[in-house]
Amino acid sequence: MRITRLLTAVVSAAILLPASATAASAASIGSYVALGDSYTSGPFIPVQRLDPLGCGRSTANYPSVLAAALHAGRFTDVSCAGADTTNMTRPQGVPFNGTNPPQLGALRIDTDLVTLGIGGNDYGVFGSLTSTCPGLRASDPTGSPCEDHFGDSVTTSIDNIGPRVETVLAAIHERSPRARVLVVGYPRIAPDRGYCPDILPFADGDYAWLNSVEEKLNSTLSDAADADGRAEFVDTFGPSRGHDACARGGSAWINGKDQNVFEAAAYHPLKAGMAGVAAVVLKALR
């Protein structure tokens, strides 16, 4: 699917801005910088950029779709798979002997818009869940063995992410004092009801727990934006209801357990998900 087709999906979304509002937003976006992790960069979503290849940065990720919809005069995407808040100010080593420079280095004093999608990799929150939970399903398929395994450690880690994000936001404002800054949350992975163990192989009871972890993380990001006082939080968890990994009929925004190097990484956004998130962010820019 080319960018033009993704833009068509954005335009046809029910949450699309009126044409006049879109034009007004577009006129004000001279320079847009996208910061974030793999839920921003879009690993394996065609077409992948090479600067560096190890970041899994797609030309069809939500920042690219958003930049095209806004007709941004200058668009810089430095998001990178595996990034956490420390990689905003430190270089990040990536596969294939590559390095992604500190992401905040892309900011300029005349930057108008910044989107930030970060936090899920801090303290290994997402990675721990997706690497551990599927293997625990067999021990208690209808229970919640992953929740039992981690206990309160995940929520404690998420509590510690908030101050890190606040520090990043302060640094963004310092470098780009006139920029509008949007903290983009994470879309839902699991459905709010029902199960699909062939796609999302968590134990039945861990589906609700996974949702609670995501809600906790998004709430922490929202609180960080509120504490900052200038940044705005964009909720994608609510708007992605019905577009989780279990969704059928091509309506899923998130890939399941199977890695597909021609489509999307496991447990990561699909092209449709990137278009959906772009539409949500576009609405927030009214």
Side-chain angles (χ1 to χ4, degrees), residues 28-29 55 82 126 132 150 180 204 215 242 274:
S28 63
I29 304 300
C55 275
F126 272 178
T132 303
F150 284 106
R180 187 171 180 183
D204 293 355
E215 288 176 315
M274 289 298 186

Side-chain angles (χ1 to χ4, degrees), residues 40-58:
T40 300
S41 68
F44 299 146
I45 298 175
V47 175
Q48 292 283 293
R49 289 169 49 177
L50 306 177
D51 55 346
L53 176 62
C55 275
R57 194 180 297 141
S58 172

Side-chain angles (χ1 to χ4, degrees), residues 163-240:
R164 289 186 169 197
V165 175
E166 290 179 41
T167 299
V168 171
L169 291 172
I172 291 172
H173 298 314
E174 181 179 358
R175 289 164 174 78
S176 301
R178 295 189 296 273
R180 187 171 180 183
V181 181
L182 303 183
V183 179
V184 181
Y186 292 89
R188 64 172 62 236
I189 299 172
D192 52 0
R193 59 173 60 89
Y195 316 104
C196 61
D198 55 326
I199 296 172
L200 190 61
F202 284 47
D204 293 355
D206 282 327
Y207 276 56
W209 182 68
L210 176 58
N211 274 329
S212 72
V213 168
E214 278 208 80
E215 288 176 315
K216 170 71 171 176
L217 177 57
N218 282 316
S219 177
T220 297
L221 296 176
S222 178
D223 289 346
D226 287 344
D228 172 76
R230 295 173 59 189
E232 306 161 57
F233 177 71
V234 180
D235 172 37
T236 65
F237 188 84
S240 60

Side-chain angles (χ1 to χ4, degrees), residues 84 103 161 173 199 205 264 278:
D84 61 24
Q103 293 191 29
I161 292 171
H173 298 314
I199 296 172

Side-chain angles (χ1 to χ4, degrees), residues 58-73:
S58 172
T59 57
N61 59 17
Y62 78 76
S64 297
V65 178
L66 184 64
L70 294 173
H71 304 288

Side-chain angles (χ1 to χ4, degrees), residues 21-115:
T22 304
S25 297
S28 63
I29 304 300
S31 175
Y32 166 33
V33 176
L35 314 171
D37 56 25
S38 56
Y39 266 62
T40 300
S41 68
F44 299 146
I45 298 175
V47 175
Q48 292 283 293
R49 289 169 49 177
L50 306 177
D51 55 346
L53 176 62
C55 275
R57 194 180 297 141
S58 172
T59 57
N61 59 17
Y62 78 76
S64 297
V65 178
L66 184 64
L70 294 173
H71 304 288
R74 183 173 63 247
F75 168 51
T76 307
D77 180 5
V78 290
S79 61
C80 191
D84 61 24
T85 52
T86 67
N87 299 123
M88 299 299 103
T89 55
R90 300 177 191 171
Q92 178 187 353
V94 297
F96 311 109
N97 297 317
T99 300
N100 198 48
Q103 293 191 29
L104 294 188
L107 298 174
R108 296 169 47 158
I109 196 165
D110 63 346
T111 299
D112 297 309
L113 174 66
V114 179
T115 56

